[in-house]
């Protein structure tokens, strides 16, 4: 058993010493460490039901677009014949996602991460109802916007929630589970679409059922948010609810409240909450001391917190990192495959809707299988190596697909071997993405911002994803029709740019606590923030005013005394 950490004076305590002691008590990293924390796994499984919604919608609509029951329906003829109109219908998911992810920053701070997840699930249910019951393209336009707003909000709140409940050495693994859930949703939608396609070639139930099933994970998410999901300790600390914060942290870690690891983690969390309160008091005294209604003050502070993403070099570096990470993730062209996989496989000469849907189903399987290695190694070898290795695989595959399409697109029927080779390279390309850009991008945007701007920073990163998603999905049908193999070369060019950015500019965040992230970006402002945070930590320890540092029996007596005082007042 390791020697208990007992600093005799506050001078002996440093941020590094606390971080090292926390690391020694926390256990192993990666999947081994996650398996030792079943409650952490259960909570991540609940939150990522929202990611299943995201993935399912991405895959389901691409299946519907080639189902005979849908393509033969005269109510939707414009979607089936006009590539630009089809692009707009598909891309509305991205517009809604952009709006939802931006609004989610305020919701996560004002309502809590927990209730922001609930709200996102409700909006997805509204959109699901509209698309399932669609009678004309207008229903699809509105329904896909609502679904986009819901999953856009969820795409920002899920990694935020998971990063705040996970210890540093497990954060990458836990947050990357979101990508596993997204690709699982894609796989489920592909295979359900393949199955419902057999119901009928004329009856709309074949495509309506495919779309309706998306409501199942959304409904489960809402139910479990109400009856199982706790508030995150960091959000509670930010609200000044420290008793609840330590109880939530101890429950999540499955340790006693007076456990040494809980004390150290709670010290870091509470010190950062005090740090942010002090900074707000210095920067916005007119608001902190305002007599306006609390919700007005909170709204103005939220707006200013969002603006802080761009007002200093230190914060702009974090904001640019989040935005560029999501931009390059989308510009690899992955949603070209996800949204239009059946259409692409038909264009490669695969005969029959069933064959192209079956080929799309394999994409889902490859996605799920390829995400597993990333979850296993992201906290061991780091974010940057995973991105570089995955990008190498993706770049090679895009090059080969472009070469095959450019050589044989005029006569696939005589070159079925080349057609299937292109399909295999698309599968491998998807595997490279699933093992790299998919999980890493969500992990990075969830871990690089401080407490006061974390929700807004994650929302900005997610909004960049959705805005790029919108641009890609609206233009891909036109690109596939007009420049064919050049489509893959365009995405290859952006992938090369992304690799250069990762190699020269992206900092490595492996193993860093959320409270240590300032040092990763190495700015003078970060040093000043670290000094302020250290001063607050030392003051809290020296004054011993943290209830979690008291003897449990003393704390129990204090709670009882407070209850007696309240009763006397009544």
């Amino acid at each position: 058993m390791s020697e208990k950490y007992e600093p005799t004076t506050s001078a002996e305590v440093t941020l590094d010493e606390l971080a090292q002691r926390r690391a020694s008590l926390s256990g192993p990293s990666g999947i081994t460490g996650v398996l030792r924390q079943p409650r952490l796994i259960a909570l991540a499984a609940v939150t990522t039901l929202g990611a299943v919604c995201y993935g399912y919608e991405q895959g389901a609509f691409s299946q519907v677009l080639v189902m005979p029951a849908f393509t033969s329906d005269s109510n939707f003829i414009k979607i089936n014949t006009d590539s630009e109109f089809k692009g707009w219908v598909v891309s509305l998911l991205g517009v809604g996602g952009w709006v939802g992810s931006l609004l989610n920053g305020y919701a996560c701070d004002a309502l809590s991460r927990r209730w922001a997840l609930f709200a996102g699930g409700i909006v997805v249910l509204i959109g699901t109802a509209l698309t399932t019951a669609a009678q004309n393209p207008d229903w699809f336009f509105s329904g896909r916007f609502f679904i986009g707003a819901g999953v856009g909000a969820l795409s920002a709140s899920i990694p935020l929630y998971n990063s705040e409940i996970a210890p540093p050495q497990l954060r990458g693994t836990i947050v990357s589970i979101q990508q596993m859930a997204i690709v699982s949703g894609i796989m489920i939608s592909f295979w359900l679409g393949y199955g419902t396609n057999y119901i009928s070639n004329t009856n709309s139930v074949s495509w309506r059922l495919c779309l309706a099933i998306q409501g199942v994970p959304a409904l489960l998410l809402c139910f479990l948010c109400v009856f199982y999901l706790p508030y995150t300790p960091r959000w509670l600390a930010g609200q000044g609810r420290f008793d609840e914060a330590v109880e939530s942290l101890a429950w999540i870690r499955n340790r006693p409240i007076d456990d040494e690891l809980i004390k150290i983690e709670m010290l870091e969390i509470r010190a950062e909450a005090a740090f942010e309160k002090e900074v707000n008091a210095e920067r916005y005294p007119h608001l902190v001391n305002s007599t306006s209604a609390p919700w007005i003050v909170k709204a103005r502070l939220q707006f200013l917190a969002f603006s802080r993403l761009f007002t200093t070099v230190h914060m702009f570096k974090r904001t640019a990192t989040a935005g560029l990470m999501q931009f390059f993730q989308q510009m690899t062209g992955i949603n070209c495959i996800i949204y239009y996989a059946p259409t692409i496989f038909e264009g490669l000469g695969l005969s029959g809707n069933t064959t192209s849907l079956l080929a799309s189903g394999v994409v889902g399987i490859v996605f799920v299988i390829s995400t597993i290695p990333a979850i296993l190694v992201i906290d061991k070898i780091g974010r940057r190596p995973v991105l570089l290795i995955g990008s190498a695989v993706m770049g090679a595959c895009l090059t080969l697909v472009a070469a095959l399409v450019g050589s044989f697109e005029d006569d696939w029927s005589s070159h079925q071997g080349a057609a299937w080779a292109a399909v295999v390279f698309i599968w491998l390309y998807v595997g490279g993405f699933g093992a790299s850009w998919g999980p890493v991008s969500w992990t990075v945007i969830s871990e690089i911002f401080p407490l006061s701007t974390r929700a807004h920073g994650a929302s900005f990163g997610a909004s960049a994803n959705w805005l790029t998603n919108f641009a890609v999905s609206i233009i891909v049908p036109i690109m596939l029709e007009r420049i064919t193999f050049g489509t893959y070369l365009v995405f290859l060019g952006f992938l090369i740019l992304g690799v250069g950015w990762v190699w020269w500019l992206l900092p490595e965040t492996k193993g860093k606590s959320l409270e240590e992230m300032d040092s990763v970006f190495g700015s003078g402002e970060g040093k000043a923030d670290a000094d302020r945070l250290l001063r607050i930590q030392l003051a809290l320890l020296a004054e011993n005013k943290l209830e979690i540092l008291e003897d449990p029996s003393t704390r129990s007596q204090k709670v009882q005394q407070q209850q007696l005082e309240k009763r006397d007042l009544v």
Side-chain angles (χ1 to χ4, degrees):
M1 183 179 294
S2 58
E3 183 181 351
K4 189 171 179 61
Y5 178 69
E6 294 287 356
T8 56
T9 69
S10 61
E12 294 180 14
V13 183
T14 68
L15 291 177
D16 287 341
E17 287 172 347
L18 284 171
Q20 290 168 11
R21 183 57 181 168
R22 173 186 21 83
S24 69
L25 292 168
S26 297
S29 63
I31 198 67
T32 303
V34 170
L35 292 175
R36 294 186 183 183
Q37 299 200 36
R39 285 181 180 172
L40 199 59
I41 298 174
L43 293 174
V46 171
T47 61
T48 52
L49 284 169
V52 173
C53 295
Y54 176 20
Y56 189 93
E57 173 57 26
Q58 284 186 299
F61 200 66
S62 71
Q63 302 292 86
V64 167
L65 288 174
V66 297
M67 286 185 181
F70 184 80
T71 57
S72 62
D73 192 324
S74 59
N75 292 319
F76 307 105
I77 191 68
K78 193 169 184 180
I79 296 177
N80 298 316
T81 59
D82 189 327
S83 60
E84 293 185 18
F85 194 81
K86 178 190 292 186
W88 274 105
V89 174
V90 172
S91 65
L92 267 175
L93 187 79
V95 176
W98 179 67
V99 173
S101 59
L102 284 178
L103 293 177
N104 189 65
Y106 176 79
C108 279
D109 274 352
L111 303 178
S112 79
R113 285 62 162 141
R114 174 191 181 188
W115 293 114
L117 287 166
F118 175 83
I122 293 295
V123 176
V124 170
L125 287 172
I126 294 172
T128 299
L130 287 168
T131 54
T132 301
Q135 300 300 312
N136 55 58
D138 292 341
W139 290 53
F140 275 119
F141 276 112
S142 57
R144 284 185 62 77
F145 178 83
F146 273 103
I147 292 173
V151 296
L154 291 170
S155 69
S157 53
I158 292 168
L160 182 64
Y161 185 99
N162 288 347
S163 69
E164 292 192 356
I165 64 172
Q169 80 281 4
L170 302 179
R171 191 174 60 245
T173 304
I174 288 295
V175 174
S176 63
I177 291 175
Q178 177 183 6
Q179 181 64 19
M180 173 63 78
I182 291 173
V183 299
S184 296
I186 293 171
M187 180 184 71
I188 293 169
S189 70
F190 278 158
W191 287 104
L192 282 175
Y194 176 67
T196 60
N197 182 57
Y198 283 103
I199 293 176
S200 173
N201 285 338
T202 57
N203 194 324
S204 67
V205 70
S206 60
W207 61 265
R208 293 185 192 276
L209 178 61
C210 181
L211 295 178
I213 292 172
Q214 179 177 246
V216 175
L219 192 61
L220 280 173
L221 174 64
C222 293
F223 178 83
L224 292 170
C225 279
V226 174
F227 295 105
Y228 179 70
L229 214 63
Y231 295 103
T232 69
R234 284 183 171 84
W235 182 81
L236 289 168
Q239 304 300 307
R241 296 158 61 177
F242 300 114
D243 283 344
E244 295 175 70
V246 68
E247 289 167 2
S248 176
L249 181 63
W251 183 84
I252 293 169
R253 298 287 184 267
N254 198 20
R255 290 172 178 260
I257 286 177
D258 62 340
D259 182 84
E260 186 182 1
L261 178 62
I262 300 301
K263 291 181 180 181
I264 294 175
E265 282 200 63
M266 193 61 200
L267 173 64
E268 293 176 328
I269 291 170
R270 187 162 183 178
E272 188 179 355
F275 164 85
E276 298 300 340
K277 185 176 181 180
E278 185 177 299
V279 169
N280 281 337
E282 287 183 4
R283 291 179 176 174
Y284 317 117
H286 60 292
L287 288 179
V288 173
N289 301 316
S290 174
T291 57
S292 302
W295 70 270
I296 295 177
V297 174
K298 182 172 288 189
R300 293 182 66 185
L301 282 172
Q302 293 292 325
F303 175 79
L304 289 169
F306 194 92
S307 68
R308 282 174 56 194
L309 296 175
F310 306 94
T311 52
T312 68
V313 173
H314 174 59
M315 285 305 305
F316 183 75
K317 286 173 64 178
R318 299 176 190 247
T319 305
T321 298
L324 287 170
M325 173 61 72
Q326 294 295 336
F327 171 80
F328 284 121
Q329 187 224 54
Q330 286 298 303
M331 290 308 296
T332 61
I334 189 61
N335 277 338
C336 168
I337 306 298
I338 302 306
Y339 286 140
Y340 301 106
T343 304
I344 289 172
F345 289 135
E346 279 188 345
L348 292 176
L350 303 187
S351 58
N353 287 325
T354 299
T355 302
S356 65
L357 289 174
L358 180 62
S360 303
V362 178
V363 167
I365 294 175
V366 172
F367 240 146
V368 172
I369 294 174
S370 64
T371 303
I372 295 174
I375 293 176
L376 294 176
V377 305
I378 191 171
D379 279 323
K380 292 184 179 296
I381 69 173
R383 285 58 162 151
R384 295 176 72 251
V386 170
L387 287 173
L388 293 172
I389 294 170
S391 296
V393 174
M394 295 168 66
C397 292
L398 284 173
T399 302
L400 291 168
V401 170
L404 288 168
V405 173
S407 301
F408 303 110
E409 62 181 337
D410 294 332
D411 189 16
W412 285 117
S413 59
S414 301
H415 302 90
Q416 284 293 293
W420 277 105
V423 170
V424 171
F425 287 128
I426 289 176
W427 289 340
L428 292 175
Y429 160 85
V430 168
F433 179 90
S436 58
W437 285 93
V440 172
S441 60
W442 295 110
T443 300
V444 169
I445 71 167
S446 70
E447 64 188 1
I448 60 176
F449 292 97
L451 182 62
S452 64
T453 56
R454 189 168 299 137
H456 302 84
S459 294
F460 175 82
S463 72
N465 178 289
W466 285 104
L467 194 59
T468 314
N469 183 321
F470 163 72
V472 169
S473 56
I474 197 172
I475 200 172
V476 160
I478 302 170
M479 292 172 68
L480 290 172
E481 183 179 289
R482 298 180 184 177
I483 64 173
T484 60
F485 73 91
T487 303
Y488 305 101
L489 295 178
V490 169
F491 291 126
L492 175 63
F494 279 104
L495 178 63
I496 293 171
L497 288 175
V499 168
W501 175 72
V502 170
W503 184 269
W504 282 294
L505 296 174
L506 180 67
E508 180 58 69
T509 56
K510 180 190 73 170
K512 300 291 185 181
S513 76
L514 296 175
E515 288 73 30
E516 295 173 304
M517 202 57 67
D518 274 342
S519 62
V520 172
F521 288 86
S523 70
E525 184 178 353
K527 176 63 167 58
D529 287 352
D531 290 343
R532 184 195 294 262
L533 186 61
L534 175 58
R535 172 177 56 78
I536 293 172
Q537 281 192 331
L538 294 177
L540 288 171
L541 283 172
E543 295 172 14
N544 197 25
K545 290 184 177 179
L546 286 177
E547 291 186 356
I548 61 166
L549 297 180
E550 299 173 358
D551 180 84
S553 62
T554 303
R555 185 170 184 273
S556 178
Q557 291 171 10
K558 179 178 289 187
V559 172
Q560 292 176 11
Q561 181 63 32
Q562 290 173 345
Q563 291 173 344
L564 288 172
E565 291 173 357
K566 289 180 182 178
R567 187 172 64 187
D568 291 341
L569 288 173
V570 175

